[in-house]
Amino acid sequence: MTTTIPATTKAQGNAVGSFTVKFEIASADRSEFREVEALVDTGSTFSRMPASLLEQLGHVKAGREPFRLGDGRIVEYDLAEVPFRITDRVRTTTCMWDEAEAQPLLGAVTLEQFLLAADPVEQRLVRVEGLLMMAQRGKKYRAALEKIDRSRTYEPKEAVSLVRETAYANFDESVELHIRTGLDTRHADQQLRGTIVLPHGLGKGQRVVVFAEGEAARIAEQAGADAVGADDLIKKIEGGWLEFEVALAVKEMMGKVGRLGRVLGPRGLMPNPRTNTVVEAQDLPKAIRDSKQGRVEFRTDRTNLVHVPLGKVSFSEDALMENLASLIDAIVREKPSGAKGQYIRSITLTTTMGPGVKLDIPATLSGTTAAAV
């Protein structure tokens, strides 16, 4: 039996696949539970909590451990064993001490301890009964893994066929692309960020709000925006309303929208010219149409990895292939000017619950605008 835990705050929009959930974190003696809202981040091994919160709840550092980032760098983090309560379950999980006011993150180890998996397209946590914790895997996963030769890389068409074949969950799993880059995101000229409208979308509709007034508001309403407004919409969002996945704005509104930065920014919803979400009034119909069809943002995370959903297992192989090719082409075209050495070091396809399939890099990049990767 599979149940789902919906996201408390939809946060797809400009950062497709990211969302937040609410749960409780306990004091060291479990006498106090405090509600937190954390970003689901499967790119992080352990959950990360702000130092200020851990200290307030009486936790102490249990040791400092080194971690290897995607680009090979070694960093060190202090760790603590912290009780979490998610739904009706209380379990102790390993937490990394983050900066005092950092955004809480719910990592992959914690999700496995609570028998949960993240679905980045549907933006929910999926509880899978029978998933074994930590390094142990269930029979279905092991059976799927046996179909994959881990010593080789696959051409794109073969990889797409294989991830569809090895998807075993009893829900429509998302198909995800994971890329390890040779970038160092500590440098401004090595930041990768861009958007693309996938030819076949993501398999779900998106709710779009538009910050506009006057003639621009009329255009947005006629183009099918789910909510349009100016000061009234800003106040509604400040009051806690976030039932949308994409936020667009006309340039004239950005002076007012800017005060929503602390609310929309961490959730990847803040309109930004770089992601084509700040547009001229006459361009609103196309921007709204593209957003509803499945515009995807790709960007490197703090470990120089790119995690992007590109469709559903229920898509045809041809549809997934076209989405994959378009996404790879866009990532190559947006290669940062400061990139050094090998730009793309590995490419992996996977599903929400299934094992990863490594792609052959030259075969995957053939036909793109790749120069030197």
Side-chain angles (χ1 to χ4, degrees):
M1 177 181 178
T2 300
T3 58
T4 61
I5 302 174
T8 57
T9 304
K10 295 285 186 175
Q12 192 167 16
N14 298 335
V16 171
S18 62
F19 57 93
T20 58
V21 295
K22 288 182 179 178
F23 61 91
E24 292 178 296
I25 179 173
S27 59
D29 59 3
R30 299 197 182 192
S31 62
E32 176 187 357
F33 282 83
R34 188 174 303 182
E35 185 177 78
V36 298
E37 185 173 21
L39 190 69
V40 175
D41 184 3
T42 54
S44 176
T45 303
F46 298 114
S47 295
R48 304 184 186 191
M49 291 294 133
S52 56
L53 175 61
L54 293 174
E55 290 169 354
Q56 289 170 16
L57 291 172
H59 292 288
V60 296
K61 298 174 182 178
R64 192 171 181 84
E65 296 290 342
F67 294 89
R68 184 183 298 276
L69 300 183
D71 61 359
R73 288 182 292 123
I74 303 295
V75 296
E76 291 189 346
Y77 275 94
D78 292 309
L79 302 179
E81 297 299 319
V82 182
F84 282 10
R85 179 157 60 199
I86 302 179
T87 61
D88 57 344
R89 304 182 182 189
V90 178
R91 286 177 178 156
T92 298
T93 189
T94 301
C95 277
M96 303 168 77
W97 286 65
D98 216 331
E99 298 176 0
E101 302 303 325
Q103 165 80 48
L105 296 177
L106 197 60
V109 167
T110 301
L111 292 180
E112 287 197 358
Q113 285 180 286
F114 282 88
L115 308 183
L116 297 172
D119 184 340
V121 172
E122 294 296 334
Q123 297 189 316
R124 61 185 181 180
L125 295 181
V126 180
R127 178 174 293 157
V128 182
E129 302 297 342
L131 176 66
L132 298 184
M133 294 190 300
M134 305 301 288
Q136 301 180 32
R137 298 290 185 176
K139 291 181 179 179
K140 291 182 179 179
Y141 182 92
R142 295 198 301 271
L145 190 60
E146 288 178 359
K147 298 179 180 180
I148 300 171
D149 183 350
R150 304 301 296 275
S151 66
R152 59 164 291 198
T153 56
Y154 292 82
E155 293 193 359
K157 187 172 181 62
E158 190 177 6
V160 167
S161 176
L162 196 52
V163 295
R164 293 178 77 244
E165 180 185 348
T166 54
Y168 61 85
N170 57 356
F171 62 91
D172 192 9
E173 297 182 59
S174 298
V175 178
E176 305 166 18
L177 178 69
H178 302 268
I179 297 178
R180 184 167 67 91
T181 73
L183 301 172
D184 184 348
T185 53
R186 294 174 299 177
H187 303 290
D189 63 353
Q190 294 191 44
Q191 300 282 342
L192 171 65
R193 185 173 185 178
T195 60
I196 180 177
V197 178
L198 295 175
H200 299 278
L202 286 170
K204 63 171 292 185
Q206 299 191 87
R207 290 167 293 183
V208 179
V209 302
V210 179
F211 297 99
E213 54 188 353
E215 179 64 14
R218 185 188 66 79
I219 293 173
E221 290 172 351
Q222 291 183 344
D226 296 279
V228 182
D231 294 322
D232 55 335
L233 182 58
I234 291 172
K235 289 181 180 178
K236 187 175 181 180
I237 292 173
E238 287 178 326
W241 182 76
L242 289 163
E243 296 302 315
F244 55 92
E245 287 76 55
V246 181
L248 304 175
V250 293
K251 293 180 179 179
E252 296 77 12
M253 285 296 300
M254 286 307 295
K256 295 181 178 180
V257 176
R259 71 179 198 243
L260 293 176
R262 289 190 176 183
V263 178
L264 300 182
R267 295 169 170 81
L269 289 169
M270 188 67 184
N272 188 321
R274 292 181 60 189
T275 56
N276 301 315
T277 49
V278 177
V279 298
E280 300 287 351
Q282 63 268 24
D283 296 326
L284 280 171
K286 182 178 185 303
I288 293 169
R289 182 173 62 253
D290 288 349
S291 297
K292 286 183 172 289
Q293 287 178 349
R295 177 166 55 191
V296 174
E297 181 192 8
F298 53 86
R299 58 180 172 181
T300 42
D301 63 15
R302 68 185 72 188
T303 62
N304 308 315
L305 300 174
V306 178
H307 309 277
V308 195
L310 57 84
K312 292 286 196 176
V313 168
S314 59
F315 283 19
S316 69
E317 287 187 15
D318 288 342
L320 288 173
M321 280 292 296
E322 289 181 30
N323 277 1
L324 173 63
S326 298
L327 188 53
I328 291 291
D329 187 70
I331 290 172
V332 170
R333 283 188 283 106
E334 293 295 329
K335 180 180 179 180
S337 60
K340 300 176 182 179
Q342 187 177 3
Y343 176 37
I344 294 178
R345 296 185 174 181
S346 68
I347 308 175
T348 303
L349 271 185
T350 185
T351 60
T352 305
M353 300 299 298
V357 178
K358 291 184 178 181
L359 275 70
D360 179 85
I361 295 178
T364 304
L365 296 177
S366 63
T368 70
T369 55
V373 297

